[in-house]
Amino acid sequence: QDRAVMQLAQEGRVTAVTFRTDDAPMMATANAEGDVALWDLDARRLLHVMQGAHDGLVAAADFVVGQPVLVTSGADNAVREWLFDGQAGIPRPLRQRSGHFAPAQMIRYHGDDGRHILSAGRDRALRLFAVFRDAQNAELSQGSLEREARKRHTSMRELRLPAVTQFASNAAKSRDWDDVVTCHQGARAAHTWSVERRALGKYTLQAADTAAVRAVALSACGNYAFLGLATGAIEMVNMQSGLARRTFAGHAKAVTGIATDACNQRVFSTALDGTLRVWDFATGAQTHVLALPATASRLEIYREGALLACACDDACVRIVDADALRVVRTFAGHGS
């Protein structure tokens, strides 16, 4: 008849249990909060808690047979390996495979060689995917979230930046300064990132009037970022110094999209006021206004052909000739 030989308690609901099969008397247990506890079975005591091993419930945990390697998987769409190679019995991350665990909101190629893809999801993560080598996939770091979570006694998820609503990237100056800019849900600031370092960048960009940032763009040269504000203004910021350089004022409502041409001569923008506006890049002066049949919620540019694509609220995509500034084609058919 089976009988209990010891009882150990871990905080939270235990979701997985596994035992080492090499020469170490160790048990690992995981909980629904994403933590993994390591137990010394000889001493019947807790050795270490891997706080935030996963961002959410740990679904499974197994030690590799005969090896000091722990494999875990979680609801954060990640599989991680942990290596026990120290004397204290505390593991270090060995390798991992992960992806978004909530729907992606924006996906774009980064660079001109088609080798990397940037994506932002509702899981509040910005990820880089390598087209040809999975081993190069990575989430762009937001700092030492694990250490901060332990210090503040909270979860890593609570410390993440809000979900990215728009981002823009340009690899032209990747080796010199940050090459990605993002705006976030409900946030009054944009953030720069470095794909080269796979991490959050140097600057938090905020408008002088602290209005919420609704849209972002980077110039073709990679030197300037553009922030579209809820007030209808557009701020141009130097990516090297993080300093504001120019303001484009004219929209009556929140900006929804920004684009620049290939020669840094014109800036294009759409807003909730239902207009597409053209600005002089060097002076910030407004040069043209086009009233669209419906409000545009997103703006994209094809620089080589001087064409603008406006995704409108009437479920149509309208192509605008950037030189003639008129709608040349309408794609309709979506139900919503």
Side-chain angles (χ1 to χ4, degrees):
Q1 184 177 357
D2 294 339
R3 64 184 180 88
V5 295
M6 71 177 71
Q7 182 172 322
L8 304 169
Q10 180 182 5
E11 291 184 1
R13 178 168 60 90
V14 176
T15 57
V17 179
T18 183
F19 298 87
R20 283 183 67 166
T21 57
D22 54 356
D23 58 354
M26 180 182 290
M27 177 179 70
T29 60
N31 67 15
E33 282 71 48
D35 304 329
V36 176
L38 305 174
W39 306 88
D40 185 329
L41 297 179
D42 282 348
R44 301 190 180 191
R45 67 181 180 88
L46 179 66
L47 277 176
H48 179 65
V49 177
M50 299 158 56
Q51 187 174 14
H54 286 271
D55 195 353
L57 180 144
V58 180
D62 283 293
F63 279 104
V64 178
V65 176
Q67 297 184 36
V69 176
L70 175 65
V71 182
T72 61
S73 65
D76 56 355
N77 193 27
V79 177
R80 295 189 169 95
E81 287 188 354
W82 311 84
L83 177 63
F84 293 78
D85 58 354
Q87 298 296 322
I90 299 175
R92 62 177 176 86
L94 181 61
R95 61 175 68 90
Q96 70 168 7
R97 290 289 185 271
S98 61
H100 288 293
F101 61 90
Q105 299 194 123
M106 188 173 181
I107 304 172
R108 294 289 184 275
Y109 276 103
H110 175 71
D112 298 326
D113 56 7
R115 293 178 176 272
H116 294 93
I117 295 172
L118 280 170
S119 69
R122 294 180 186 172
D123 56 0
R124 300 161 74 174
L126 182 64
R127 290 187 171 273
L128 180 73
F129 294 94
V131 174
F132 301 111
R133 297 188 63 184
D134 285 347
Q136 296 179 353
N137 295 352
E139 177 184 345
L140 272 64
S141 171
Q142 297 186 24
S144 303
L145 297 183
E146 183 177 353
R147 184 170 63 241
E148 284 297 314
R150 285 199 300 267
K151 186 185 301 182
R152 302 184 188 184
H153 303 287
T154 186
S155 66
M156 291 196 299
R157 184 178 300 182
E158 296 301 318
L159 298 179
R160 288 178 178 271
L161 293 172
V164 174
T165 53
Q166 277 194 35
F167 68 81
S169 72
N170 189 329
K173 298 292 185 179
S174 291
R175 296 185 180 276
D176 301 315
W177 50 75
D178 296 342
D179 52 0
V180 179
V181 61
T182 58
C183 61
H184 302 258
Q185 188 172 5
R188 297 180 179 274
H191 294 270
T192 64
W193 305 72
S194 171
V195 171
E196 188 86 4
R197 295 187 295 105
R198 308 288 198 269
L200 195 61
K202 291 176 62 176
Y203 299 116
T204 297
L205 307 177
Q206 195 168 19
D209 59 0
T210 67
V213 181
R214 297 292 183 83
V216 291
L218 284 176
S219 61
C221 62
N223 290 330
Y224 300 100
F226 295 84
L227 315 180
L229 307 180
T231 58
I234 299 171
E235 294 276 355
M236 186 172 83
V237 181
N238 186 286
M239 285 291 286
Q240 183 179 13
S241 64
L243 299 177
R245 291 302 187 210
R246 196 164 294 117
T247 300
F248 303 77
H251 284 295
K253 295 183 178 180
V255 178
T256 58
I258 309 171
T260 65
D261 66 5
C263 301
N264 284 358
Q265 293 182 340
R266 294 176 295 175
V267 178
F268 306 91
S269 63
T270 55
L272 294 180
D273 59 10
T275 62
L276 168 65
R277 296 175 187 257
V278 186
W279 316 83
D280 185 274
F281 192 105
T283 65
Q286 180 178 292
T287 58
H288 297 89
V289 179
L290 173 65
L292 296 169
T295 300
S297 58
R298 187 63 63 90
L299 176 67
E300 298 290 341
I301 187 169
Y302 173 55
R303 289 189 172 115
E304 290 77 4
L307 296 174
L308 299 164
C310 303
C312 298
D313 286 350
D314 60 355
C316 293
V317 177
R318 291 180 170 85
I319 306 301
V320 177
D321 186 317
D323 294 327
L325 205 66
R326 62 185 181 89
V327 177
V328 295
R329 188 167 299 173
T330 300
F331 297 93
H334 291 292
S336 60

